[in-house]
Amino acid sequence: MYQTKRLNRTDKVIITAALTGAVTTKQDNPALPTQPEEIAKAAIRCWEAGAAVVHIHVRDDNDQGSMRFDKFQDTVGLIRQAKCPVVLNLTSSGGQGFSWEDRIKPFRELKPELASFDAGTMNWLNKVVFMNEPEFLERCGNAMIAAGVKPEIEVFDIGMLNTAKYYLKKGIIQAPAHFQLCLGAPGGMEATVENLLYLVNHLPENCTWGAFGIGRGANEVLLAALALGGNIRVGLEDNVYYNHGQLARSNEQFVERVKRVANEFGRQAATSDEAREILGITKNRQE
Ligand code: ZN
């Protein structure tokens, strides 16, 4: 088996809570936070439960997927006002029909420590095209470097991993890279252990990585990623069910489970400061 030197810590797991996303609705799960006060509250609760990072999307006034800057500003402002030290990871996608500027402005202006970088275009949920054309990715990567934001490279398919390696070589993404392996989205790779292992074995040298599964394979991917020494993302963005047929009560319910299971394997949930150290985040720290 091809061995990659990885920078994940074997004794720590970085738990990321993906609170809202662009697709899930309150009809799917009433616990979904959609407005700034709700999202900020969920972020703080997840941090208290053991999440080191929160991945943030916002919605418009009708709870539709949005890249409205004022909503990001309010959400981030509330979390920072509460002096919650959680690492912020803002989305750079957010749904359909947004301009490049709409997608870049939140991380450029609010300077989170992380922002998502979707390393390729794909058919999304068998409905629409999730556009991440080369010129946008170059612009997005360069804007992240200029703003001191570390990209969290989202990989839904093996081609995206190759694309990310290309941008690493070109300097559009700076090493050490951090990957989020996203399995189970219709249009991307299925959420299976086999697929997770394949991606992990093809990561570049000296990177960090996390993973999550959407839908049926979610728990399988979670357990396999933990066993492989990966970091874990959970939350209502990716899954509305806690187990088959059982709606999740909250985002933090998912976080609590990862923490519990990781402890059983002898791994501890990384604090936000430990996550910063593991991910090599040196900029945009808010005091
Ligand atoms: Zn997202």
Side-chain angles (χ1 to χ4, degrees):
M1 188 191 294
Y2 173 68
Q3 284 290 328
T4 303
K5 184 166 180 267
R6 298 176 196 118
L7 302 173
N8 286 1
R9 285 262 300 267
T10 49
D11 57 336
K12 299 282 175 185
V13 55
I14 300 170
I15 305 173
T16 295
L19 306 169
T20 303
V23 179
T24 315
T25 66
K26 279 189 192 284
Q27 285 71 47
D28 298 326
N29 189 321
L32 183 80
T34 54
Q35 294 301 318
E37 297 75 23
E38 293 175 325
I39 299 168
K41 241 182 232 164
I44 293 164
R45 285 207 194 107
C46 284
W47 174 75
E48 287 168 349
V53 180
V54 287
H55 171 65
I56 290 179
H57 286 246
V58 298
R59 302 293 177 91
D60 65 14
D61 290 332
N62 300 314
D63 285 352
Q64 299 298 304
S66 174
M67 287 305 287
R68 259 177 65 179
F69 181 70
D70 60 326
K71 297 281 190 185
F72 277 103
Q73 201 172 23
D74 290 351
T75 306
V76 167
L78 286 165
I79 297 168
R80 286 178 174 163
Q81 259 169 42
K83 303 250 178 267
C84 178
V86 72
V87 175
L88 297 177
N89 171 349
L90 301 188
T91 185
S92 66
S93 60
Q96 286 290 306
F98 303 115
S99 70
W100 293 356
E101 171 63 12
D102 290 340
R103 294 176 62 178
I104 287 170
K105 187 177 178 185
F107 73 73
R108 187 187 63 215
E109 302 299 319
L110 298 171
K111 297 193 169 30
E113 289 163 287
L114 293 170
S116 58
F117 179 97
D118 293 286
T121 297
M122 66 189 282
N123 284 356
W124 184 249
L125 309 181
N126 301 317
K127 284 183 187 141
V128 291
V129 179
F130 180 22
M131 285 298 291
N132 293 291
E133 56 268 70
E135 201 185 334
F136 170 71
L137 289 181
E138 291 204 12
R139 200 177 288 197
C140 190
N142 285 326
M144 285 186 186
I145 292 171
V149 174
K150 182 165 178 134
E152 182 194 65
I153 306 160
E154 294 193 330
V155 167
F156 290 83
D157 217 336
I158 185 70
M160 294 192 185
L161 186 50
N162 291 335
T163 300
K165 287 178 182 172
Y166 168 77
Y167 287 123
L168 264 163
K169 211 184 267 176
K170 271 194 91 178
I172 305 278
I173 297 171
Q174 294 175 324
H178 179 53
F179 290 90
Q180 189 66 265
L181 308 175
C182 316
L183 297 174
M189 289 171 93
E190 285 181 292
T192 65
V193 173
E194 189 184 9
N195 284 343
L196 177 68
L197 195 58
Y198 188 84
L199 288 174
V200 169
N201 280 330
H202 289 82
L203 289 169
E205 297 291 306
N206 297 322
C207 68
T208 48
W209 65 278
F212 68 90
I214 297 169
R216 261 178 314 173
N219 288 343
E220 194 176 313
V221 167
L222 187 158
L223 292 171
L226 268 179
L228 287 165
N231 299 300
I232 303 292
R233 166 170 144 175
V234 284
L236 291 167
E237 169 166 352
D238 308 322
N239 289 288
V240 293
Y241 290 101
Y242 185 71
N243 277 320
H244 185 68
Q246 180 195 352
L247 279 181
R249 283 196 309 273
S250 62
N251 275 299
E252 57 268 29
Q253 189 188 13
F254 288 110
V255 174
E256 283 158 3
R257 173 163 64 187
V258 179
K259 194 177 163 180
R260 222 166 38 234
V261 175
N263 286 348
E264 287 291 321
F265 278 104
R267 292 177 73 196
Q268 308 296 317
T271 64
S272 294
D273 276 345
E274 286 167 343
R276 290 180 172 97
E277 203 187 309
I278 295 163
L279 299 176
I281 297 170
T282 52
K283 294 174 185 153
N284 296 346
R285 175 83 201 272
Q286 299 270 321
E287 293 303 331

